[in-house]
Amino acid sequence: LGIEPHPGPTETRTIEFLNTSYGHGKATEHIHNRGADIFIGNEHSGDPNKVNKTTKFLAKLKWKSLFSCLDPELVHHTGGVFAQAKKPFNIYNVKPNTKAASKLLDSGRFGMYGVELGTNLHTIIFTCYGWTNGRGNQPARERTDNMCKIIYYETQTHPGVPMLLTGDLNCSRELL
């Protein structure tokens, strides 16, 4: 991740991606005990009260947590993406440069997180949660495909910044 004369950190960093289906309660304890430095995930499915409780619980264990809203199109609590980092690492929300990516943040299916892995060592991690049944439902597949295009155009506004794309597309990539 470094560039000479600053080769980057010598310690190993572990970033894990999770599709939790529920990122609260016992799942929170499992995340803490897995040993990764950073988690990026989909489908936390927590209402604001659960998000607040989870954030406070993990803060006591030296984790910083960022949760998106849930999918506002659905009547039950589903969707939502999240990022978590254990000290000494830091995460923060990155403000998109494109209007399309900014609007996508309100979908509960997209997150854009900055990760500080060391002094002057930052990366952007995008996470996306594709619309359900993209394999069998063309409109869902097209929405997910459009999200991927929006992410691509957003990446073009951050030249020279290391980036990582994670997610669950809910579709075979060949169909996108």
Side-chain angles (χ1 to χ4, degrees):
L1 290 176
I3 298 173
E4 292 297 337
H6 306 286
T10 56
E11 305 89 30
T12 301
R13 310 292 197 257
T14 304
I15 300 172
E16 286 192 20
F17 169 77
L18 301 167
N19 185 346
T20 61
S21 296
Y22 186 73
H24 308 281
K26 285 282 187 192
T28 305
E29 293 177 35
H30 294 306
I31 287 171
H32 171 68
N33 292 325
R34 286 184 62 87
D37 301 304
I38 295 162
F39 285 101
I40 306 297
N42 288 352
E43 205 173 1
H44 69 76
S45 303
D47 64 38
N49 289 330
K50 287 183 181 158
V51 165
N52 188 38
K53 185 176 178 181
T54 298
T55 300
K56 286 180 179 179
F57 173 80
L58 285 172
K60 291 177 185 176
L61 299 171
K62 300 185 180 191
W63 285 87
K64 180 177 180 182
S65 301
L66 301 172
F67 291 91
S68 76
C69 64
L70 298 178
D71 185 334
E73 297 176 5
L74 302 173
V75 294
H76 60 285
H77 296 293
T78 194
V81 297
F82 63 95
Q84 298 167 323
K86 190 167 189 174
K87 286 186 180 181
F89 306 105
N90 187 31
I91 55 169
Y92 49 93
N93 289 304
V94 174
K95 183 180 177 187
N97 290 329
T98 63
K99 288 181 183 178
S102 292
K103 184 177 177 186
L104 196 55
L105 287 174
D106 295 330
S107 71
R109 293 181 173 273
F110 170 72
M112 188 172 165
Y113 303 106
V115 179
E116 183 180 1
L117 295 173
T119 305
N120 296 319
L121 180 57
H122 297 260
T123 188
I124 297 173
I125 300 180
F126 298 92
T127 189
C128 57
Y129 179 49
W131 276 266
T132 304
N133 192 23
R135 285 181 190 88
N137 181 304
Q138 184 173 351
R141 184 169 52 248
E142 288 171 355
R143 291 179 82 184
T144 299
D145 191 54
N146 188 53
M147 177 169 46
C148 292
K149 289 175 186 173
I150 290 169
I151 293 169
Y152 170 77
Y153 289 118
E154 180 65 32
T155 66
Q156 301 306 296
T157 70
H158 302 275
V161 177
M163 294 178 228
L164 177 66
L165 173 62
T166 68
D168 176 359
L169 299 175
N170 277 319
C171 180
S172 300
R173 68 179 189 272
E174 299 84 24
L175 295 175
L176 295 176

